[in-house]
Amino acid sequence: MATYRLNRDSDLIDNPSPRCACMLVLDTSASMFGPPIRELNAGVQAFISAIQEDDMAACSVELGVITAGGKVTEQLPFTTAMDISQCRQFTAAGLTPLGGAMELALDRLEERTSAYRKAGVAYYQPWLVVISDGVPTDQWQAASVRARTLAQQRKLVVMPVGVEEADLEALSAFSTRPAKRLDGLKFREFFLWLSASMSRVSASSSTTDQVKLPPTDSWDSI
């Protein structure tokens, strides 16, 4: 069983670094069984390791993970990267309640940014990364409107990524940017790109600056 030292209220005082909340919403439905779920697990671990190797990002990036596989599960409440000791291995099963997973993710992001403001801790625009290889099997339209509205208001960066035969149109509805399709099962390449992006964000001199992100050609299907 993986163990985490979860955020306490005092963490925002003990570690006053500006924060960047990054929520991962991962499709772990039955169709991800086999190589896809193995590569997804390896990719998430590579992401955490890469963030932890960057001292500034390790103090600033807070990671949360929610899976949608048969049911919605909060696998990791928001935890500063430097405090994550291990990453739970995800398994593939069931349908894809992506709408419910996204609603929970948006609730958790709202709660976390509210905690930042209450503690007087500066924070960068939060990120919500959603990865799926299919189409949501629950009611997802309200969650897509909510996520897209926050993205339009520049309160949230929503990064939708489609795997294999994913419905890119449905995924794109959650964001102001079109969903990108993963090239094969290049989860590790994607998560290394994400860690590099988080490093650039956390190194920014201002929480309101526009940050130029690395190119995505190492992992996306053109």
Side-chain angles (χ1 to χ4, degrees), residues 18-37:
R19 301 305 169 91
C20 182
C22 180
M23 175 64 80
L24 305 181
V25 174
L26 308 175
D27 177 349
T28 57
S29 60
S31 59
M32 288 285 287
F33 184 78
I37 199 71

Side-chain angles (χ1 to χ4, degrees), residues 2 48-49 54 106 110 113 117 135 143 155 178 180 202 209 219:
I48 293 171
S49 297
D54 181 323
L106 292 167
E110 184 177 323
T113 53
R117 290 191 294 271
V135 64
K155 295 180 179 179
K180 288 184 174 290
S202 61
D209 280 353
W219 58 268

Side-chain angles (χ1 to χ4, degrees), residues 9-64:
D9 291 341
S10 61
D11 286 350
L12 294 176
I13 299 173
D14 298 340
N15 171 15
S17 301
R19 301 305 169 91
C20 182
C22 180
M23 175 64 80
L24 305 181
V25 174
L26 308 175
D27 177 349
T28 57
S29 60
S31 59
M32 288 285 287
F33 184 78
I37 199 71
R38 287 198 298 271
E39 293 301 318
L40 176 63
N41 276 307
V44 172
Q45 186 56 61
F47 173 52
I48 293 171
S49 297
I51 289 290
Q52 291 177 334
E53 289 172 3
D54 181 323
D55 290 342
M56 187 173 294
C59 293
S60 294
V61 175
E62 292 192 340
L63 178 64

Side-chain angles (χ1 to χ4, degrees), residues 33-214:
F33 184 78
I37 199 71
R38 287 198 298 271
E39 293 301 318
L40 176 63
N41 276 307
V44 172
Q45 186 56 61
F47 173 52
I48 293 171
S49 297
I51 289 290
Q52 291 177 334
E53 289 172 3
D54 181 323
D55 290 342
M56 187 173 294
C59 293
S60 294
V61 175
E62 292 192 340
L63 178 64
V65 181
I66 293 172
T67 56
K71 61 180 180 178
V72 175
T73 304
E74 186 173 21
Q75 301 283 1
L76 175 64
F78 276 120
T79 305
T80 309
M82 65 181 180
D83 291 334
I84 300 175
S85 58
Q86 297 180 47
C87 182
R88 180 176 288 113
Q89 294 291 299
F90 313 123
T91 57
L95 298 177
T96 315
L98 207 58
M102 289 292 285
E103 286 285 4
L104 179 59
L106 292 167
D107 288 345
R108 292 292 185 262
L109 283 161
E110 184 177 323
E111 292 165 4
R112 198 60 190 147
T113 53
S114 177
Y116 298 153
R117 290 191 294 271
K118 184 177 179 180
V121 172
Y123 63 94
Y124 302 96
Q125 195 173 3
W127 282 52
L128 197 169
V129 176
V130 52
I131 301 176
S132 176
D133 74 336
V135 64
T137 55
D138 61 350
Q139 294 297 315
W140 56 272
Q141 288 81 2
S144 71
V145 170
R146 185 180 171 193
R148 189 180 184 89
T149 298
L150 288 169
Q152 288 171 336
Q153 295 171 345
R154 300 182 61 78
K155 295 180 179 179
L156 181 64
V157 175
V158 183
M159 171 65 70
V161 178
V163 181
E164 296 183 330
E165 301 304 315
D167 185 335
L168 294 190
E169 184 176 350
L171 287 174
S172 295
F174 289 99
S175 181
T176 54
R177 62 184 70 200
K180 288 184 174 290
R181 191 177 298 281
L182 196 70
D183 182 8
L185 296 177
K186 290 186 175 180
F187 286 106
R188 186 175 187 278
E189 288 83 353
F190 167 74
F191 280 109
L192 290 177
W193 171 88
L194 184 61
S195 70
S197 299
M198 292 294 98
S199 291
R200 290 194 185 187
V201 170
S202 61
S204 176
S205 59
S206 169
T207 57
T208 59
D209 280 353
Q210 288 286 323
V211 177
K212 183 175 177 58
L213 300 177

